[in-house]
Amino acid sequence: MSGEKLTFKQQFHDFPVRQMLIICIIRFSEPLAFTSLFPYLYFMIRDFKIAEREEDISKYSGYLASCFAFCQFLFAVRWGKLSDKIGRKFILLIGLFGTASSLLLFGFSQNYWQALAARSIAGILNGNVAVLRTVIGEIATERRHQAIAFSTLPLLFNFGSIIGPAIGGSKYLTHPKKESPYDTQTQEVSDGLYSFYEKFIRKYPYALSNIVVAAFLLFSLVCGFLFLEETHDVYKYRTDYGVELGDWLLSKIGIAPPERPWHRRQLHEGHNYYPLIDDVASIQSEALDSSDDAEIQSIRPYISRRMSQAIVKTYSMEGQREIEEYKPTYTNAFTPAVITVITGNFIISLHNVTYNEFLPVFLAARFQKEKLQFPFKIEGGFGLDTNYIGTLFSSTGMMGMLIIMVIFPWLDRKLGTINGYRLSVSIFPIVYFMVPFAIFTLTKYNPNIPEWVTPVFLYTLTSLKTLASATGMPQVMLLNHRAAAKEHRAYVNSATMSIIALARFTGPIVFGYLMSLSDKLAIGELTWWVMSLMAGVGMIQSYWMEDYDDEDEKLHQTEEEQGEQEEQDTNPDLSQQLQRDFTAIEVEDETQTSIR
């Protein structure tokens, strides 16, 4: 359970800043790619004219979002398992490259089916969010660092939510047709200036924004290749030539790189003493058990050449066999605690992503005053342009950053993880319930209402939603991390991501149909009230969740594993055996010296 209350200074002391900075660069690129689509997605589908009626655009928008999520659902667990077999870093780099490639395909799409294929490729090639959760848990191993470390994921999502919509909604980077293809079209006339730019953006109206985002993804890939260290307990001892190159570049500008795990293989030739025994053992086995390692360190900090050879000979064969035969197992990974937290993840993701996908659709849909009647008759939308929608999402993203940097650490210290999570999820039902009523605040609907009322209403709702998401998401990630056993975290995180992807697949399809149906029946509020009901279920479900100490290994162990641990605790003979080996070698050395 949560321990004593810590100050921010105590939380941040010895925080792994260097590696978290690289993680932040990688993480930032993900929401940048995701949110840059929001401002123009409605207009892109409209320009493709795939929907028979304009009212059906939301349904096809749901398909586009769902194909990405469905492919993530199918492949997320596979990426998580693969990260256990070949390391975390390689998977992250593949994900960045896959996302950049799919964005370029998406931006240059000339019809709906090409765009659908591009989003599917993005879902197949990217398992980064789950792997990033695992990497953060392996970097921030101390509990006092975890709240700050895990909050970087939603922090960077909100940062991406500022830049992404600004890129996607920029009039210089996106160029939807001025006239809807569902109306009588009028041909746009060029003024002859910037002819190449004009021709390009008319043929590929959504390509430039995707090129910009893809360029940052490739920059993140280069940073990860050069500076991200492997965090897997076994593969972090493998020589990383990318990091070696990065260290060389840093040395050229006067920054001294730290010692890398694989450097321990270089024995100190010409000296009578070798490094610490755990370093020597890692040279040979690279996989000594952490508990045995601690016992070895407690015996003697330095040992002679002959002693090191004896100990290595004794223990390295078993360690080498262990790394060669390393095959992660996932038996009993899904404990009741893990299942409960994954359920919470599913619910919050289902309504959260649905809101993010369909609020832009609601804001961009054609305004139809004659089909509105307060309070329950709602058809159509606000009729806002891409620039307004992009600014709205960017502004709320900035609000989310401030919330995570200021409010979340305070909330975590005061309430703890589980109580803070319960408070956060109680905000969602209220916000969703109020969203449809915002349309009645438009001056176009009622001339007596000042123009400032609508933006104030919208910004208030989106800020409250951002508050709930920015505090609730890192908390549920922490609960997920602590509920899973250390050796199962990569698998559990990828399984959680798969379930979240299932929610993102289900939500847009179901709510896309629901939004189209409710629009036809002029009861547009139905979609948002169903979403509010779903969020209410998530709020109730949060009271079945608990917070755990991730240091409490007995929480994650089976009865057989606990029995083995108790037997090991009652027979602590490793240190005694090593001490006897040391003593015997010393006696033999002294005897041979006396004879000489």
Side-chain angles (χ1 to χ4, degrees), residues 1 10 39 113 133-134 153 168 213 247 249 254 315 354 432 474 507 579 581 588:
M1 302 299 170
Q10 290 172 325
W113 304 110
R133 289 185 179 192
T134 306
L153 293 179
V213 177
D247 287 346
L249 293 173
Y315 295 99
T354 304
Y432 298 155
Q579 187 63 57
D581 292 343
E588 185 178 350

Side-chain angles (χ1 to χ4, degrees), residues 217-282:
L217 282 160
L218 294 176
F219 169 76
S220 302
L221 188 152
V222 172
C223 289
F225 177 73
L226 294 176
F227 305 115
L228 180 64
E229 301 171 19
E230 178 59 61
T231 60
H232 192 284
D233 284 342
V234 172
Y235 299 115
K236 66 183 178 182
Y237 293 103
R238 181 178 53 195
T239 302
D240 189 329
Y241 295 103
V243 172
E244 291 278 10
L245 177 58
D247 287 346
W248 180 81
L249 293 173
L250 290 176
S251 68
K252 294 302 179 183
I253 59 174
I255 299 177
E259 183 187 23
R260 303 300 180 185
W262 56 88
H263 291 164
R264 297 172 183 174
R265 295 173 181 169
Q266 301 171 359
L267 299 178
H268 297 189
E269 297 181 359
H271 295 273
N272 292 330
Y273 290 93
Y274 276 43
L276 292 176
I277 183 60
D278 64 314
D279 292 345
V280 177
S282 70

Side-chain angles (χ1 to χ4, degrees), residues 340 418-419 421-423 425-426 537-546:
T340 305
I418 186 61
N419 290 326
Y421 174 71
R422 288 166 181 163
L423 175 63
V425 296
S426 66
V537 172
M539 180 184 68
I540 295 171
Q541 190 268 345
S542 68
Y543 287 89
W544 272 270
M545 297 167 63
E546 294 184 45

Side-chain angles (χ1 to χ4, degrees), residues 102-217:
S102 65
L103 275 178
L104 293 175
L105 292 173
F106 185 78
F108 283 94
S109 297
Q110 293 293 282
N111 57 61
Y112 181 79
W113 304 110
Q114 290 178 5
L116 194 73
R119 293 302 290 159
S120 299
I121 292 171
I124 291 170
L125 295 180
N126 195 328
N128 280 12
V129 176
V131 178
L132 280 170
R133 289 185 179 192
T134 306
V135 169
I136 289 175
E138 291 170 341
I139 291 174
T141 54
E142 296 189 38
R143 186 184 178 94
R144 62 195 171 95
H145 293 156
Q146 289 173 355
I148 297 175
F150 279 94
S151 68
T152 59
L153 293 179
L155 174 66
L156 271 298
F157 182 87
N158 283 281
F159 188 29
S161 297
I162 298 172
I163 309 299
I167 294 173
S170 170
K171 62 181 180 180
Y172 301 106
L173 300 176
T174 58
H175 195 267
K177 294 178 181 178
K178 291 182 179 179
E179 300 293 333
S180 171
Y182 294 92
D183 295 332
T184 302
Q185 297 188 26
T186 59
Q187 192 69 28
E188 296 184 40
V189 180
S190 174
D191 58 6
L193 297 175
Y194 309 105
S195 57
F196 176 79
Y197 169 79
E198 289 271 333
K199 289 177 182 178
F200 182 85
I201 204 166
R202 287 177 188 279
K203 185 174 182 181
Y204 306 106
Y206 308 102
L208 282 178
S209 60
N210 285 280
I211 290 172
V212 171
V213 177
F216 186 84
L217 282 160

